[in-house]
Every structure is written in C-alpha cells, then in structure tokens.
Amino acid sequence: MYICLEGIDGTGKSTQIELLSQWLIDSGFKVKKVVEPTGSEIGLLIRKILTSPDATSSNTQKILALLFAADRLTLMEKISKYEKENKIVISDRSFYSSLAYQNSEDWILEINKFVKTPDLAILLDLDVNLAISRCLKTDEFEKKSFLINVREKYIELAKNNKNNFKIVNANNGENKVNSDIKKVVASLLGICVDGID
Ligand code: TYD
C-alpha cells in the first residue's frame, strides 16, 4: 500500500504523517515513511534550486519537473521493496506534487510514466493566506499567487481522481485533521477506527 500526503507548504503534512504512522504501527501494521525530494544527489540538487531566487520562474519550474521525475524514480525501487515486505508506505508528496506545482499536465504525466500512482492520496487543503502565515513568513506576492494556483490545481486533481484522491480540511486543529485522515485510511484498509463512526 502506497499512501501519500499532499498539500501546499504549511498545511501540516509532516505532523500528520507522524500521527498517521504511529496510529498504523499501534494498529499492528508495518510502516515505512518516505519523502520527496529524497536524500539522493538529485534530491539535494532540487533542494538547492528550490531556494534560488527564481525558483518559481517558468523555466526553473520545467527544470524542477524533470529533476523531480528523476528523483522520484530513485524512490520507486525502494517502495516496491517495502510493499513486498508488506509495509505500508507513507510518502510526503508524490507525482501529484509535480502536477500541482509544475502545473502542466501532459508532459509531466509523460515524464512520470515509470512512477507508481499512489493507492491513496490525501490532500491537506488550507487557505493560502493561512498556510503562508503558518510557515512561510512572507507576503511576497509572487509566492502567494504561485501557491494560489498550486492549491487550485490540487483541488482539481482531487476532484478528477475521486476514487483515490481525498480532500481533508487542514484548518480544523491537529486532532480533527488526524481523525479525518484516519477515517480515509481506515476505509482503504477495511479496518475500524476506535471512537470514530
Ligand atoms: P520541502 O521543504 O520538503 O517542503 P514541504 O515540507 O512543504 O514538502 O520542499 C519541497 C518543495 O518542493 C515544496 O515547496 C513543494 C515542491 N515540490 C515541487 O515543486 N514539485 C514536486 O514534484 C515535489 C515533490 C515537490
């Protein structure tokens, strides 16, 4: 099982991945957490480019899309191995991030054609102003309008892939968000969640 959490920066993905992972372990599952960009050399290069001043420019986004697809491929072999070991893989981001951030469906799907589609994607959805105030500490217009587009694209992707892409409201407090995520995952795994209908 390959589950990913998606969302713009500041939606609380890391916290929720920890809570989800702990709950699954407590419920008797074996869990492996992974993250994109990875720690590979390509991943390190991506992180460097992400901090450059023109990170959101259209050319840099194309370069990033290509690098992200390559970096993601370094992860796929590991994910297959973990799945064979009956581990649930929880990924911080997936190729849906490329579709949302690099925002150009056709060729991004093409360069990601060797990549697995997650069995379940969960979008932590949050208003961009709130997300920015939570983490980015910047009102920079360019960044804000970029993220508004990313959020819209995410919502469109979730709506177009209703069977395996669920939206969770990330503006509900840590515990409620956690229980909403658990409900979605429980229904995928066919298990019950204590105290939740
Ligand atoms: P990171 O610091 O890990 O942010 P976060 O904790 O929000 O995931 O950096 C990842 C950044 O890379 C984030 O801004 C989203 C972006 N990204 C893309 O633009 N395309 C992609 O395909 C992926 C996986 C991430």
Side-chain angles (χ1 to χ4, degrees), residues 21-74:
S21 156
Q22 201 47 56
W23 171 67
L24 286 170
I25 291 167
D26 293 344
S27 307
F29 293 95
K30 288 185 277 183
V31 172
K32 195 76 200 176
K33 289 177 283 179
V34 297
V35 59
E36 292 190 26
T38 71
S40 75
E41 288 195 5
I42 306 168
L44 298 180
L45 176 59
I46 289 173
R47 291 200 179 277
K48 203 168 153 196
I49 296 174
L50 282 171
T51 57
S52 70
D54 67 341
T56 57
S57 81
S58 137
N59 199 40
T60 307
Q61 285 298 310
K62 291 189 186 85
I63 293 167
L64 280 170
L66 293 162
L67 290 173
F68 272 118
D71 184 46
R72 193 164 293 126
L73 267 185
T74 70

Side-chain angles (χ1 to χ4, degrees), residues 10-122:
T11 49
K13 277 186 289 95
S14 316
T15 308
Q16 291 301 330
I17 284 171
E18 284 310 315
L19 294 171
L20 173 62
S21 156
Q22 201 47 56
W23 171 67
L24 286 170
I25 291 167
D26 293 344
S27 307
F29 293 95
K30 288 185 277 183
V31 172
K32 195 76 200 176
K33 289 177 283 179
V34 297
V35 59
E36 292 190 26
T38 71
S40 75
E41 288 195 5
I42 306 168
L44 298 180
L45 176 59
I46 289 173
R47 291 200 179 277
K48 203 168 153 196
I49 296 174
L50 282 171
T51 57
S52 70
D54 67 341
T56 57
S57 81
S58 137
N59 199 40
T60 307
Q61 285 298 310
K62 291 189 186 85
I63 293 167
L64 280 170
L66 293 162
L67 290 173
F68 272 118
D71 184 46
R72 193 164 293 126
L73 267 185
T74 70
L75 198 58
M76 288 302 126
E77 225 165 89
K78 288 185 190 149
I79 291 185
S80 299
K81 176 176 162 281
Y82 299 144
E83 286 182 324
K84 281 192 193 113
E85 294 166 352
N86 280 326
K87 291 179 177 146
I88 297 179
V89 179
I90 306 178
S91 182
D92 188 334
R93 302 192 177 280
S94 71
F95 83 101
Y96 287 121
S97 284
S98 284
L99 292 175
Y101 279 80
Q102 279 70 51
N103 195 359
S104 170
E105 198 132 340
D106 285 354
W107 72 273
I108 294 206
L109 280 176
E110 187 63 22
I111 59 172
N112 280 282
K113 71 177 177 191
F114 305 113
V115 159
K116 284 170 180 290
T117 300
D119 299 293
L120 174 68
I122 298 171

Side-chain angles (χ1 to χ4, degrees), residues 18-19 48 91 94 105 123 140 143 145 165 188 194:
E18 284 310 315
L19 294 171
K48 203 168 153 196
S91 182
S94 71
E105 198 132 340
L123 170 60
E140 208 187 311
K143 183 82 186 170
S145 59
F165 203 151
L188 176 79
D194 284 347

